[in-house]
Amino acid sequence: MDNKGWSLKGSLLLLLLLVSDLLLCQSVASLPICPSGAVNCQVSLRDLFDRAVILSHYIHNLSSEMFNEFDKRYAQGRGFITKAINSCHTSSLSTPEDKEQAQQIHHEDLLNLILRVLRSWNDPLYHLVTEVRGMQEAPEAILSRAIEIEEQNRRLLEGMEKIVGQVHPGIRENEVYSVWSGLPSLQMADEDTRLFAFYNLLHCLRRDSHKIDNYLKLLKCRIVYDSNC
Amino acid sequence: MDLWQLLLTLAVAGSGSAFSGSEDSSEKPKFTKCRSPELETFSCHWTDGVRHGLKNPGSVQLFYIRRSTQEWTQEWKECPDYVSAGENSCYFNSSYTSIWIPYCIKLTSNGGTVDQKCFSVEEIVQPDPPIGLNWTLLNISLTGIHADIQVRWEPPPNADVQKGWIVLEYELQYKEVNESQWKMMDPVLSTSVPVYSLRLDKEYEVRVRSRQRNSEKYGEFSEVLYVTLPQMSPFACEEDFQFPWFLIIIFGIFGLTMILFLFIFSKQQRIKMLILPPVPVPKIKGIDPDLLKEGKLEEVNTILAIHDNYKPEFYNDDSWVEFIELDIDDLDEKTEGSDTDRLLSNDHEKSLNILGAKDDDSGRTSCYEPDILETDFNASDVCDGTSEVAQPQRLKGEVDLLCLDQKNQNNSPSTDTTPTTQQPSIILAKENKPRPLLISGTESTQQAAHTQLSNPSSLANIDFYAQVSDITPAGSVVLSPGQKNKAGISPCDMPPEVASLCQANFIMDNAYFCEADAKKCITVAPHVEAESRVEPSFNQEDIYITTESLTTTAGQSGTTERAVSSEMPVPDYTSIHIIQSPRGLVLNATALPLPDKEFLSSCGYVSTDQLNKIMP
């Protein structure tokens, strides 16, 4: 029985791996895979960064498209833009806001920041998917992308943790992240308010995915290529 | 009226508003574009709406505010740099720029807000155009018509690509100089890209533009790069589609070859006949050489008899008479001696010559003419013996002797077997003087004959016909004169009845006759003749009497004397064994008892074995 169970588990894992790889391969170049169960799988830092950059780029693309889709569909003529300069829940995280600041910050800190941002978005993404599904005439374009972003965000988080483990091993800070409290807004009965809440969320998502993408590219050039991309 | 007024008012108001609108638009400055080229600075531009009367361009002011914290606590600040970015613009350097921070700017004119705009810097990134375009030739096609080039450029200098702060992607466009439509290539992340398949005789224009990755907006285009490819090589061939003659020729030949092979295979036999016609093997017409080998003498006999039809036609009817006449003439002419004598004489050449002179179209031509004798060896058995003769002339003479009386008939049936005559000379002596004549191609025979027939006196009495009385195994033929006892009846004077009868019978079989026929002749012939006359058969030029029939009949006739050594009247019939050798005809002794029934039954040749059996 044990053997059967293990073989079944193994096959399922393999299947999952395959599927996830296939999904990843849709938009991302295929990279050598380290089986999730493996302990001593040493993927080079370069490969890790490459994968991370690819993932972050992919997430940013998706969020941009999602935002544009939503904007086109729901937010036209509502003047959301002028009102959308409200803060995102991750604004409290003191992330560098220009190139000088980014260059001055130590890469370990930057890595931690990235991790924080990524963690901060786990919850909102999850709820986003739920709420978009619940929307009337749930647009498939937005929903599929939301689902994909959530998935990839999780993977990016795992990858980043691996990178941190390699770059800065040993130190494991408390899992700090910003709490998202925008859920009630998403569930508002008023359609306008709800739509604005969605708009805001998607806007923040696009911004943060761009931020992470930039940070990672910067780090990659700095760490892997020694500031000479 | 009211309606008219209303309409008029509306029209005026509308035009007025339109007018005012345009004026307003022209007066009011508006933001045209805010742009950050490298994600470090940005600038905003606006139109200067001042048209009429507003002489203070500086009245337009830009105020900005950015959200540093979650609160909009700050006040509006004025544009730090109105100059750097040109007129009607505000330039924010890197110290004033914060990425991922919302900005709001507003344009004021004379204190009144004219325009407002909110954005984030990362949303307005439009990189500068790339610089340093150049191209290199990659390769030229074999036809010399197309070429590939590699276009390289540098990223815009203000974009910090090296540190990875901004990632750019580029788009290249190219076109021929005289074209109007640009061809676009897919965006690439690298700063060099190959352009394939450019024509060598054309000039091209190339330009590149860049944008931040993930953004939608492209920056401005770079300067145009002119690509002048080297001239076409003089050996370049035309690009026009050439009819593939070569291929067509090859396939055509292939197809034809296939058809030809099919044809050949279907008509194998015929073509074989055409190319390699069967070589005619020497054979007797209508006679299968195998028959001879197998010893089917009956068949051969019949066949041979058929063949002989041609010749006898000449003299079938008049053979006897002709012969007689001719012979007489001959006799008259040759007072010196009979032909036989001449033949048998030493200077047989002379005789031959004489004989040869008599070559005319008598009925004896069949075996007379040397040509026939020589060539028709296979064709007619009649002349077989003679054809074998090395000296056809001699044969002539011998043939002639058919009706000749044996003149020199020593009639010594001794025939001796002075054999080994290589010259087949069949001399059939008249039975009156049975005397073996040695026949064959050998001269010795001749001599023997000569000796035997030495008596010139006998010329007068020489019979026209001689019988072959004996054949020696060595190949010599022993001729015996015709019937000795025959009185006055020359073989040529065969009773017409008999003659005719026999003739009739032997019409078909010139030289060869079956035993039965022979018997008939014999029996019919006057019994005076001790020997059956073969003359009728001999008449027909076919001197050659064959075979067993002769032997048999001879045997039966009772004159079973060994012709070899007997002086007794020899039987009329002797068997002739025709040897295919220069020896020619070999006659078999007829007197021999016939040990074998084979002789009796067969009408054809006597095989050597049979011959040997008969002969001692």
Side-chain angles (χ1 to χ4, degrees):
Chain A
M1 275 297 279
D2 255 354
N3 285 339
K4 264 195 186 174
W6 277 114
S7 68
L8 197 64
K9 257 194 190 176
S11 61
L12 277 174
L13 267 173
L14 275 172
L15 195 64
L16 259 176
L17 261 174
L18 264 171
V19 171
S20 63
D21 287 334
L22 283 171
L23 284 172
L24 194 58
C25 283
Q26 281 177 4
S27 61
V28 176
S30 62
L31 291 174
I33 293 168
C34 212
S36 55
V39 176
N40 286 330
C41 177
Q42 283 292 329
V43 184
S44 72
L45 197 61
R46 168 182 279 191
D47 288 338
L48 283 171
F49 264 109
D50 283 340
R51 279 189 229 181
V53 167
I54 288 165
L55 275 172
S56 65
H57 181 80
Y58 182 48
I59 290 166
H60 177 59
N61 267 354
L62 285 172
S63 39
S64 292
E65 287 166 10
M66 195 164 62
F67 178 79
N68 290 337
E69 193 73 28
F70 185 89
D71 191 29
K72 202 166 38 170
R73 225 177 147 98
Y74 296 101
Q76 287 298 334
R78 290 175 190 265
F80 287 153
I81 296 175
T82 52
K83 286 198 281 185
I85 316 297
N86 54 357
S87 60
C88 297
H89 68 286
T90 54
S91 300
S92 59
L93 301 170
S94 58
T95 56
E97 286 170 357
D98 56 15
K99 191 176 98 177
E100 290 88 8
Q101 287 179 15
Q103 280 178 328
Q104 283 163 10
I105 193 169
H106 201 262
H107 55 267
E108 293 160 0
D109 297 330
L110 191 55
L111 281 167
N112 286 330
L113 274 171
I114 293 169
L115 279 171
R116 279 184 214 160
V117 172
L118 288 171
R119 285 192 202 111
S120 303
W121 275 101
N122 277 337
D123 195 37
L125 282 171
Y126 171 76
H127 288 290
L128 177 66
V129 170
T130 316
E131 294 308 314
V132 168
R133 268 206 199 104
M135 276 172 72
Q136 61 190 50
E137 302 170 358
E140 184 57 36
I142 296 173
L143 181 61
S144 60
R145 286 186 173 86
I147 294 167
E148 185 69 13
I149 291 171
E150 192 202 351
E151 166 86 27
Q152 300 305 327
N153 195 66
R154 220 176 295 135
R155 293 186 65 189
L156 182 59
L157 192 57
E158 287 174 11
M160 289 313 300
E161 282 170 354
K162 278 207 183 88
I163 290 173
V164 169
Q166 275 198 21
V167 170
H168 200 210
I171 295 178
R172 181 170 172 84
E173 62 167 25
N174 298 332
E175 291 198 1
V176 178
Y177 63 92
S178 297
V179 178
W180 179 64
S181 57
L183 185 58
S185 311
L186 285 178
Q187 292 164 336
M188 291 284 265
D190 183 26
E191 191 183 340
D192 266 359
T193 318
R194 202 174 76 235
L195 283 175
F196 181 72
F198 270 113
Y199 182 89
N200 206 34
L201 187 62
L202 294 174
H203 187 265
C204 286
L205 179 59
R206 185 179 78 160
R207 193 194 76 168
D208 282 346
S209 59
H210 185 271
K211 195 188 277 188
I212 289 166
D213 191 34
N214 242 61
Y215 290 159
L216 278 171
K217 283 165 185 169
L218 192 74
L219 279 172
K220 182 179 124 178
C221 280
R222 200 202 287 187
I223 295 173
V224 176
Y225 296 101
D226 201 17
S227 298
N228 193 16
C229 281
Chain B
M1 280 300 249
D2 290 84
L3 193 63
W4 274 111
Q5 285 176 353
L6 193 62
L7 281 171
L8 199 62
T9 315
L10 277 170
V12 171
S15 61
S17 66
F19 204 50
S20 62
S22 61
E23 280 184 355
D24 286 342
S25 62
S26 65
E27 285 179 1
K28 261 189 177 178
K30 266 184 104 167
F31 285 116
T32 52
K33 179 170 81 171
C34 286
R35 170 178 166 255
S36 169
E38 74 286 77
L39 207 64
E40 296 169 36
T41 65
F42 74 99
S43 61
C44 282
H45 303 262
W46 63 87
T47 58
D48 189 11
V50 176
R51 297 258 178 160
H52 307 285
L54 278 179
K55 291 175 186 167
N56 191 4
S59 61
V60 173
Q61 284 173 320
L62 185 142
F63 291 95
Y64 71 96
I65 189 168
R66 61 178 184 185
R67 242 181 136 250
S68 55
T69 57
Q70 295 213 7
E71 306 257 341
W72 288 100
T73 53
Q74 287 173 334
E75 292 179 350
W76 290 89
K77 294 174 191 170
E78 196 172 355
C79 169
D81 190 345
Y82 282 105
V83 178
S84 299
E87 202 175 339
N88 295 333
S89 69
C90 183
Y91 175 74
F92 294 84
N93 59 16
S94 55
S95 58
Y96 289 98
T97 310
S98 299
I99 320 295
W100 305 295
I101 301 292
Y103 277 81
C104 281
I105 54 172
K106 68 178 179 180
L107 208 61
T108 60
S109 172
N110 298 331
T113 303
V114 180
D115 198 2
Q116 197 174 2
K117 196 172 174 179
C118 291
F119 54 89
S120 285
V121 177
E122 76 272 9
E123 296 163 7
I124 58 166
V125 176
Q126 273 182 283
D128 282 341
I131 58 163
L133 269 74
N134 62 1
W135 67 275
T136 52
L137 187 67
L138 278 178
N139 52 28
I140 299 180
S141 69
L142 288 171
T143 56
I145 297 172
H146 295 107
D148 306 330
I149 60 170
Q150 185 89 3
V151 182
R152 287 194 176 82
W153 59 86
E154 294 296 315
N158 53 8
D160 194 355
V161 188
Q162 207 172 17
K163 292 205 178 68
W165 178 246
I166 187 169
V167 178
L168 295 173
E169 66 181 7
Y170 307 93
E171 185 198 59
L172 184 138
Q173 293 183 356
Y174 68 99
K175 75 172 176 67
E176 286 178 33
V177 175
N178 50 9
E179 274 183 354
S180 59
Q181 198 75 332
W182 288 89
K183 287 182 198 136
M184 281 175 245
M185 293 182 66
D186 290 335
V188 290
L189 288 175
S190 59
T191 57
S192 74
V193 83
V195 183
Y196 297 117
S197 199
L198 296 180
R199 286 186 63 110
L200 278 175
D201 57 346
K202 304 268 174 74
E203 267 200 28
Y204 287 88
E205 295 175 345
V206 173
R207 62 182 189 182
V208 186
R209 63 179 181 178
S210 63
R211 71 172 176 189
Q212 189 194 24
R213 207 162 160 217
N214 298 343
S215 293
E216 291 173 358
K217 287 185 188 171
Y218 274 102
E220 291 297 319
F221 278 107
S222 65
E223 285 181 1
V224 171
L225 174 72
Y226 287 96
V227 177
T228 308
L229 294 161
Q231 287 300 317
M232 270 198 296
S233 63
F235 305 111
C237 34
E238 302 234 336
E239 197 181 319
D240 294 336
F241 175 71
Q242 282 178 348
F243 204 65
W245 288 112
F246 190 63
L247 278 174
I248 285 175
I249 285 169
I250 285 196
F251 279 113
I253 287 171
F254 184 69
L256 283 172
T257 312
M258 291 302 297
I259 292 170
L260 191 69
F261 272 124
L262 280 169
F263 181 72
I264 284 173
F265 281 128
S266 62
K267 306 250 172 125
Q268 226 171 5
Q269 275 311 106
R270 276 224 213 150
I271 286 168
K272 236 189 199 174
M273 298 288 283
L274 274 173
I275 294 172
L276 302 167
V279 176
V281 289
K283 62 176 183 179
I284 302 167
K285 250 196 237 173
I287 288 183
D288 189 5
D290 293 341
L291 282 179
L292 295 174
K293 290 178 199 167
E294 291 165 11
K296 296 188 181 169
L297 300 169
E298 283 183 5
E299 299 167 17
V300 175
N301 254 355
T302 52
I303 293 166
L304 289 171
I306 292 169
H307 276 282
D308 292 341
N309 287 344
Y310 306 116
K311 312 225 175 112
E313 285 168 13
F314 288 110
Y315 43 84
N316 267 347
D317 301 329
D318 302 331
S319 58
W320 276 104
V321 177
E322 278 183 10
F323 266 111
I324 295 169
E325 289 177 358
L326 285 168
D327 286 342
I328 291 171
D329 290 343
D330 289 343
L331 278 174
D332 290 344
E333 288 174 4
K334 313 165 206 168
T335 51
E336 301 102 48
S338 67
D339 291 349
T340 315
D341 284 342
R342 273 184 242 116
L343 272 175
L344 295 174
S345 65
N346 279 336
D347 32 89
H348 75 104
E349 284 141 4
K350 194 167 81 177
S351 63
L352 286 171
N353 289 337
I354 294 168
L355 291 169
K358 288 199 303 181
D359 188 7
D360 52 13
D361 285 341
S362 65
R364 298 169 287 181
T365 53
S366 69
C367 293
Y368 214 135
E369 294 167 357
D371 305 336
I372 298 174
L373 289 174
E374 285 174 354
T375 57
D376 288 351
F377 177 65
N378 292 333
S380 109
D381 299 338
V382 178
C383 303
D384 275 354
T386 52
S387 58
E388 292 170 355
V389 181
Q391 298 180 3
Q393 293 138 358
R394 189 149 172 78
L395 287 170
K396 265 197 235 166
E398 291 155 8
V399 173
D400 197 17
L401 289 172
L402 271 174
C403 280
L404 288 174
D405 293 337
Q406 283 188 348
K407 292 161 190 174
N408 296 334
Q409 309 235 348
N410 295 335
N411 291 349
S412 54
S414 56
T415 60
D416 325 287
T417 48
T418 19
T420 69
T421 54
Q422 293 174 356
Q423 295 179 4
S425 51
I426 304 173
I427 305 173
L428 298 177
K430 189 74 174 143
E431 57 272 26
N432 286 339
K433 300 176 184 174
R435 190 178 60 181
L437 288 177
L438 294 176
I439 302 177
S440 67
T442 58
E443 298 197 4
S444 56
T445 310
Q446 180 193 8
Q447 290 171 3
H450 174 68
T451 55
Q452 290 177 355
L453 302 172
S454 57
N455 190 359
S457 61
S458 61
L459 286 175
N461 285 337
I462 198 166
D463 289 333
F464 290 134
Y465 305 97
Q467 293 175 357
V468 177
S469 58
D470 190 13
I471 301 174
T472 60
S476 56
V477 171
V478 177
L479 290 178
S480 63
Q483 272 203 326
K484 244 187 189 175
N485 300 334
K486 185 172 168 200
I489 301 175
S490 64
C492 296
D493 293 339
M494 252 328 253
E497 318 163 347
V498 178
S500 59
L501 185 65
C502 286
Q503 281 177 13
N505 290 340
F506 295 131
I507 282 175
M508 298 307 291
D509 304 332
N510 290 333
Y512 307 101
F513 45 91
C514 292
E515 159 196 344
D517 296 337
K519 280 185 204 168
K520 274 190 212 165
C521 271
I522 295 167
T523 53
V524 170
H527 286 287
V528 176
E529 307 160 352
E531 306 147 3
S532 56
R533 300 283 178 112
V534 191
E535 293 97 24
S537 63
F538 293 141
N539 264 348
Q540 332 239 347
E541 315 198 324
D542 323 307
I543 330 170
Y544 303 102
I545 303 170
T546 54
T547 64
E548 308 92 1
S549 58
L550 288 175
T551 332
T552 57
T553 52
Q556 285 186 358
S557 62
T559 56
T560 56
E561 291 175 357
R562 280 213 55 153
V564 180
S565 59
S566 63
E567 294 180 0
M568 297 150 62
V570 290
D572 287 344
Y573 304 97
T574 58
S575 63
I576 300 173
H577 176 62
I578 298 176
I579 305 173
Q580 301 204 358
S581 68
R583 299 187 181 199
L585 188 68
V586 174
L587 296 177
N588 196 5
T590 59
L592 292 172
L594 303 171
D596 299 331
K597 281 213 167 179
E598 298 169 5
F599 284 101
L600 294 172
S601 56
S602 60
C603 284
Y605 283 104
V606 180
S607 60
T608 316
D609 295 340
Q610 292 167 343
L611 195 70
N612 289 338
K613 284 178 207 163
I614 296 171
M615 300 295 291

